[in-house]
Every structure is written in structure tokens, then in C-alpha cells.
Amino acid sequence: QNKGGGKEGLKDRLGGQAGHAKFECKLCHVRSPSITTLKIHHEAKHPKLPFDPEKNAENVHEKYNGTTKGVAVQGTAKNAKRRKKEKKRAGAVS
């Protein structure tokens, strides 16, 4: 099982081709996790150009067919599994 360390977890730590950020500035290729953050970047670094998400942002997850399931997501998967178990137990007790 991949727990994020060693050779197995290397791909997750690197984030794959797309990385863990979802959007990329088409002007300077800086990556950003959300369109809001990209807008902040754009206003700070490219103040003379108006921000248009259609023109200035590229969704790298679509470009590279998603991202790797990162190690940080592992905790979320474990919690979802735990909640499902607890819900099942609560239903059996009632």
C-alpha cells in the first residue's frame, strides 16, 4: 500500500504532470490551486492586462487528464471510510 514514502510515493509527491495546482497563468505559466488565487496573481503580476479566465487561465487537470491522488488526500479517504463504518454501525444499533 502506498503511504507516500519511498519509491512508491515519489509520483504522488511530485504531483504527476499536472501537479496538484489546477490552473495555470497563460502569460507566465505560474500554477495556482484556484481561479480566485490565479486572479490575485494576475492582478499583482499583470496589472495592465484585464483578467479574463477564458483567455488567461488554463485548467491543467483537463490538459493532463487529472492529477495523481496525492498523499494529502489519503487522510480524506481514510476518514470517509471511517465515517461509512460508523454510519453502518449506527444503523445496526437503531
Side-chain angles (χ1 to χ4, degrees), residues 3-4 8 21 27 31 33 45-46 50-51 61 64 67 73 82:
K3 299 222 178 196
E8 260 185 7
L27 301 170
R31 292 196 177 171
K45 299 295 179 182
H46 316 291
F51 179 70
H61 286 193
Y64 295 113
T67 180
V73 180
R82 182 183 48 82

Side-chain angles (χ1 to χ4, degrees), residues 7-60:
K7 201 174 189 181
E8 260 185 7
L10 181 62
K11 190 175 177 187
D12 280 343
R13 290 194 306 277
L14 295 176
Q17 261 187 311
H20 295 292
K22 189 171 182 180
F23 297 98
E24 183 176 76
C25 177
K26 286 186 177 179
L27 301 170
C28 63
H29 304 289
V30 167
R31 292 196 177 171
S32 181
S34 69
I35 199 76
T36 308
T37 313
L38 189 63
K39 184 179 181 199
I40 293 167
H41 155 79
H42 188 84
E43 290 169 352
K45 299 295 179 182
H46 316 291
K48 294 180 182 176
L49 302 171
F51 179 70
D52 180 10
E54 297 295 317
K55 286 183 182 176
N56 305 119
E58 181 173 22
N59 187 331
V60 289

Side-chain angles (χ1 to χ4, degrees), residues 57-91:
E58 181 173 22
N59 187 331
V60 289
H61 286 193
E62 286 177 4
K63 182 179 176 181
Y64 295 113
N65 297 320
T67 180
T68 60
K69 184 176 180 182
V71 178
V73 180
Q74 198 68 12
T76 306
K78 284 180 184 176
N79 287 337
K81 193 174 181 180
R82 182 183 48 82
R83 282 193 299 272
K84 190 175 178 181
K85 254 185 189 177
E86 288 172 357
K87 193 174 182 181
K88 203 179 239 187
R89 278 193 209 138

